[in-house]
Amino acid sequence: MTQYASSKVDDAPAPVSASALCALGAMSALLSGDHREPDILRIAAESVSSAGCCDALGCYRLVGGEYRLGTGQSAPPDLDAQLRARNGAGRLRLPGRRWAWALPLRDRSGVVGAIVVGADREPSQEEMFLLTVLARLASVALADGMRRERAAAVAADLTEVNERLSATVLWLRRRTHVQEVLSDAAAYGGGEQGIADALGQLTGLPVAVEDPFGNLRAWSGPGRPDPYPKAPPRQREQLLRRLAAHNGPLRVRDRVIILVKPRTEILGTLALIDPDDTAVDAEIFALAYSSTMLGLELAHQRNLAEIELRLRRELVDDLLSGADGDSAFARAEALGYDLHGEHYVVLVHGVDSASAEAVARAATALELPFLHGRRSGMVVLITDRRPDPAALHRTVRAHLDTAPVAIGISGRCARPADFVRAFDDARHAIDIRLRSPTPDGATAYDELGFYRLIDAARTDGRVERFIREWLGLLLDYDRDRNADLVYTLSQYLECGGNYDDSAAALHIHRSTLRYRLGRIRQLTGFDLRDVDTRFTLQAATRAWRFLSSTAPPDRPSRATDRTTPD
């Protein structure tokens, strides 16, 4: 047997016949097309018979160190081991075949597979050459096919990456546009209404901004309800808890709602009115970003209000303590208040700190420019216009639920140094009002008249001595007998000595009044017909009433319709 087949396969071939060359040309033409790996291996297997006496027994691919036969083919059990032992090239032993050979399929990395051929005789040198060339052509076709497949896979990956990149760029552009529009709305000072308008422009949907209690703060777009519906407190609290637990936009019936919560405190809610359920990712993102901007805006507004309130209170406190004039003018100007010209100090008693803003709203309703703060447990207003006492008290009471509310108004201040004195004047007016029969009301210090003298004189006890000198006997009698002679005398003098008016004011009969007046003459010896006596007694009874807080104006007598002495 000739031995070239086992060792001389790659030597220079013997002359090849024209028919063999034609067969190689035809196979080369077939393999040069754009084929996938299964087709290349099939063409190569079909072309083996054109090389002469051989048949293709199988086309193998080296995968993970093992030679695997193509789909639908079968091979002897030990063939994989033979191929691995010979690195996919050389003579094989196959049952039923006198001759078998593995033609290696190679690329730059080495052997990648093999074409197993068999025959009943050993092929000639020409036939062996043709089989070798066929294997090389198949190797080249496989390499080209793999390159094409890799290139196609890379192209597909690049296309997918480009599509994702384009989608990401579009996504970023949309979000950047949302951020720019909303940032501009906040930066240009539009406040919550500006942010609501910007969100409505971005989404094409109506927008509602509500405070924590469900009151409407801002609306943008068509269809605003009038009146605006407000949920019951318990239902509102449940909604806020749901939104807090969800921690993001939540659809509630025809709205997509999100909390406005810059830190831990809920400042309100922001909602898209979306009955047709058209809000998608872009609208939801715009809503979420708007809630962030709105939270910053509302927190900024609150901080500014707190700072301004603190500065106003500090300025008011300093003015009432005797602040320097130049400094006071500059600080007031920074707060938007003109401290030049005449001013008045207003004190409001009976209002707690939680209701202080109601006093400010009342002053605003009366169109009074003002600074306000708190001092000595009272609300303080400094205004450049003297308010009408009755109108001021009526407006303050309209904004408050508490009663009584006593208001004191100072005299005119010509310069900042006068505020200390004005505060004392307003406080004296409050004291006088609180000691009066009607503490619920307003008193202007410059209208007190006689009571200013009493208030000034009572500090050293002279008023008490004056009252004791003229009314002491009657006060003792009232105390010992549980009577009302001093009060009766006061009402009689206030009515100008008129019996009918006095009896009506005291809710007693004329005869009872006559009896009491007679008893007063007996005890004191006063002649109530004497003008000077009546004037002095009226001053004494007014001072008594001013210093006493136990004499309401409409109190009925403890002894009504009494015509005889006890």
Side-chain angles (χ1 to χ4, degrees):
M1 179 182 295
T2 57
Q3 301 299 316
Y4 69 85
S6 61
S7 60
K8 302 295 184 178
V9 174
D10 293 332
D11 292 344
V16 181
S17 65
S19 62
L21 291 176
C22 290
L24 288 176
M27 187 190 72
S28 177
L30 286 173
L31 292 176
S32 64
D34 186 7
H35 299 296
R36 298 177 62 84
E37 179 182 306
D39 296 329
I40 293 172
L41 295 176
R42 178 182 55 78
I43 293 171
E46 292 173 352
S47 300
V48 167
S49 60
S50 64
C53 63
C54 297
D55 295 324
L57 302 179
C59 294
Y60 291 80
R61 289 287 281 156
L62 184 60
V63 180
E66 296 182 356
Y67 285 86
R68 296 181 181 177
L69 192 61
T71 306
Q73 302 180 39
S74 60
D78 65 336
L79 186 57
D80 174 66
Q82 294 185 56
L83 289 172
R84 282 190 281 113
R86 292 168 174 75
N87 197 23
R91 186 181 293 275
L92 302 173
R93 293 188 302 274
L94 295 178
R97 292 288 181 175
R98 188 175 175 186
W99 180 87
W101 196 269
L103 301 171
L105 299 173
R106 293 186 174 92
D107 63 9
R108 291 183 179 180
S109 63
V111 177
V112 296
I115 300 176
V116 176
V117 298
D120 294 332
R121 64 175 179 83
E122 203 167 306
S124 66
Q125 186 177 7
E126 176 184 341
E127 291 170 335
M128 197 65 193
F129 173 75
L130 291 175
L131 291 172
T132 303
V133 172
L134 184 151
R136 291 180 177 176
L137 289 174
S139 296
V140 171
L142 284 175
D144 288 343
M146 292 177 64
R147 280 194 295 270
R148 287 193 299 270
E149 288 180 2
R150 285 196 296 268
V154 170
D157 290 342
L158 288 176
T159 300
E160 183 181 355
V161 169
N162 285 332
E163 290 176 353
R164 289 201 302 266
L165 183 60
S166 298
T168 301
V169 170
L170 180 60
W171 181 84
L172 290 174
R173 284 178 177 172
R174 288 175 176 172
R175 277 151 179 74
T176 300
H177 177 63
V178 169
Q179 294 169 348
E180 289 175 350
V181 170
L182 291 169
S183 297
D184 289 345
Y188 291 152
E192 52 202 290
Q193 185 62 56
I195 294 174
D197 291 340
L199 178 58
Q201 171 191 343
L202 290 167
T203 62
L205 296 170
V207 177
V209 180
E210 297 177 352
D211 66 13
F213 310 104
N215 301 301
L216 184 66
R217 295 179 64 101
W219 178 279
S220 179
R224 172 177 175 172
D226 187 17
Y228 190 80
K230 180 179 178 181
R234 186 171 182 178
Q235 182 178 340
R236 181 68 177 181
E237 290 174 4
Q238 292 175 348
L239 173 62
L240 296 181
R241 283 197 295 269
R242 285 182 61 193
L243 292 173
H246 186 70
N247 195 28
L250 178 67
R251 174 166 287 278
V252 180
R253 293 184 295 277
D254 64 340
R255 297 187 175 198
V256 182
I257 310 176
I258 190 171
L259 282 179
V260 180
K261 186 181 178 183
R263 297 185 185 88
T264 58
E265 182 182 6
I266 297 175
L267 301 181
T269 58
L270 178 64
L272 290 175
I273 315 302
D274 183 30
D276 298 327
D277 198 9
T278 59
V280 292
D281 290 345
E283 288 75 16
I284 298 302
F285 174 81
L287 176 65
Y289 193 79
S290 297
S291 73
T292 300
M293 299 302 297
L294 185 59
L296 294 175
E297 175 66 20
L298 294 180
H300 178 64
Q301 290 180 10
R302 174 170 291 190
N303 290 337
L304 288 180
E306 290 175 352
I307 292 172
E308 182 177 355
L309 179 60
R310 184 173 67 253
L311 292 176
R312 287 177 180 271
R313 287 176 175 173
E314 290 175 355
L315 176 57
V316 168
D317 193 62
D318 290 346
L319 287 172
L320 300 183
S321 300
D324 174 68
D326 293 337
S327 171
F329 287 134
R331 291 165 63 188
E333 182 179 352
L335 292 171
Y337 185 80
D338 185 6
L339 201 57
H340 295 81
E342 64 179 35
H343 289 80
Y344 299 84
V345 174
V346 178
L347 297 181
V348 183
H349 180 276
V351 178
D352 57 23
S353 57
S355 303
E357 285 301 316
V359 178
R361 290 195 297 270
T364 301
L366 292 173
E367 299 182 353
L368 294 175
F370 65 90
L371 295 171
H372 77 295
R374 289 189 67 84
R375 190 176 177 87
S376 301
M378 294 180 285
V379 176
V380 182
L381 297 180
I382 293 178
T383 178
D384 64 359
R385 194 178 312 157
R386 182 186 184 280
D388 175 76
L392 178 61
H393 180 262
R394 183 171 57 253
T395 308
V396 169
R397 285 297 307 274
H399 287 79
L400 291 172
D401 295 329
T402 59
V405 174
I407 300 175
I409 304 171
S410 76
R412 184 175 65 90
C413 299
R415 52 200 177 97
D418 294 339
F419 282 114
V420 176
R421 183 265 308 160
F423 175 74
D424 288 337
D425 290 350
R427 186 165 53 184
H428 288 315
I430 285 279
D431 290 342
I432 292 171
R433 167 58 66 177
L434 291 175
R435 290 178 175 273
S436 73
T438 55
D440 185 25
T443 299
Y445 184 75
D446 55 11
E447 295 178 355
L448 286 174
F450 170 75
Y451 293 104
R452 290 168 57 181
L453 296 177
I454 297 175
D455 185 63
R458 71 187 177 96
T459 56
D460 58 3
R462 284 180 291 176
V463 173
E464 286 81 356
R465 291 195 295 272
F466 173 74
I467 293 173
R468 191 66 194 173
E469 178 182 349
W470 285 88
L471 302 177
L473 292 174
L474 298 178
L475 290 171
D476 293 341
Y477 183 88
D478 285 345
R479 182 195 63 224
D480 297 339
R481 301 294 185 90
N482 194 26
D484 279 326
L485 295 185
V486 176
Y487 184 64
T488 299
L489 177 60
S490 174
Q491 288 292 85
Y492 172 74
L493 295 173
E494 294 297 327
C495 292
N498 185 287
Y499 272 72
D500 292 331
D501 293 344
S502 301
L506 292 166
H507 303 286
I508 60 176
H509 196 271
R510 278 173 56 93
S511 60
T512 302
L513 174 61
R514 186 177 296 108
Y515 164 77
R516 291 184 182 179
L517 293 176
R519 190 62 174 155
I520 291 170
R521 294 188 188 94
Q522 292 175 5
L523 292 171
T524 62
F526 294 147
D527 183 1
L528 299 182
R529 293 172 298 178
D530 181 70
V531 175
D532 292 335
T533 300
R534 289 173 62 170
F535 175 80
T536 304
L537 286 174
Q538 187 167 11
T541 54
R542 284 193 175 185
W544 169 76
R545 293 180 65 167
F546 169 68
L547 296 179
S548 174
S549 60
T550 60
D554 297 327
R555 184 179 66 178
S557 171
R558 294 189 181 93
T560 58
D561 297 328
R562 187 170 56 190
T563 58
T564 58
D566 294 335

